[in-house]
Amino acid sequence: MISANKNILGWSAVFSLAVATWPPAVNAACAAEREKIYRLFIDYREQINTASRLEDLIPYFSDNFNGYFSNKLESARSESAKSRYLAQYWDNLNTARDIVIVFDYSLKCINDNARLTLVSVLSSNGVNEGQEVELWTVTINYLAENQQWKIDSFEYKKLGPDQKYLATGIKNNFLKIR
């Protein structure tokens, strides 16, 4: 009986050690990808400014994302429905066009999923210098496909008024490259 308890305690210690060391290893790999994945977003965001065809933006998105719209296009019952789905697809490929200023970003990843979260200002006409603007968190969900990170979806959430960033903290100002 004492031998069994020692065995259980030994395995318990090994399991605890494995659990304790697992998250930092995942986060370390994620931290190494942080700049790379953010650079992928910047490349995509800059491509939006010149893209005039679906083919210009499709490579940035996951097979899951592209497959959803491909299925909708194939199942369209009429040319007007197909045109409507095509317009929706184009709009979704251009989703990040509304992200004009990035103040901060973070990255979390687990296995082949990454969540790049931006603190951003979205497109707004008539914003004057020095004016307070609404801040949003925009999360871009990435999937690793064939050793490349691809956009799978976007999530938008408005930040509360207590979140403040100064213009000196801007990481990217996409208004300047429009």
Side-chain angles (χ1 to χ4, degrees):
M1 185 71 164
I2 294 173
S3 177
N5 285 340
K6 284 184 181 178
N7 218 1
I8 290 171
L9 288 174
W11 281 109
S12 177
V14 169
F15 179 74
S16 296
L17 182 60
V19 168
T21 59
W22 178 252
V26 170
N27 289 335
C30 193
E33 298 284 335
R34 183 175 181 256
E35 295 301 323
K36 177 183 175 186
I37 292 176
Y38 183 63
R39 183 72 229 169
L40 290 173
F41 170 76
I42 291 171
D43 292 345
Y44 158 66
R45 179 59 185 81
E46 289 174 348
Q47 181 65 31
I48 290 171
N49 293 321
T50 59
S52 58
R53 306 171 311 139
L54 287 172
E55 292 80 9
D56 295 335
L57 298 175
I58 287 174
Y60 293 95
F61 289 85
S62 70
D63 291 342
N64 180 50
F65 181 92
N66 289 320
Y68 172 80
F69 284 101
S70 295
N71 290 339
K72 284 185 85 155
L73 289 170
E74 289 172 12
S75 66
R77 296 181 185 215
S78 66
E79 282 303 312
S80 65
K82 188 173 184 173
S83 293
R84 189 172 60 251
Y85 292 148
L86 200 54
Q88 287 174 348
Y89 190 23
W90 178 249
D91 288 345
N92 277 278
L93 290 172
N94 279 284
T95 296
R97 180 182 290 273
D98 58 353
I99 299 168
V100 294
I101 296 174
V102 175
F103 283 102
D104 201 3
Y105 63 94
S106 62
L107 182 74
K108 293 181 185 174
C109 59
I110 298 173
N111 300 326
D112 61 351
N113 295 294
R115 294 175 58 87
L116 177 65
T117 302
L118 311 174
V119 175
S120 323
V121 174
L122 304 182
S123 292
S124 57
N125 297 331
V127 173
N128 297 320
E129 193 171 327
Q131 177 184 351
E132 286 191 16
V133 294
E134 291 180 344
L135 293 176
W136 292 77
T137 56
V138 180
T139 302
I140 303 101
N141 295 300
Y142 281 87
L143 288 177
E145 291 181 351
N146 301 318
Q147 299 179 353
Q148 291 185 323
W149 289 103
K150 303 287 183 138
I151 297 169
D152 194 54
S153 65
F154 289 87
E155 300 170 26
Y156 289 78
K157 181 181 176 190
K158 187 175 174 182
L159 286 175
D162 57 328
Q163 298 285 327
K164 305 273 187 214
Y165 286 84
L166 298 175
T168 56
I170 293 174
K171 303 270 190 255
N172 286 92
N173 186 346
F174 297 108
L175 280 173
K176 292 182 178 180
I177 60 171
R178 276 190 163 179

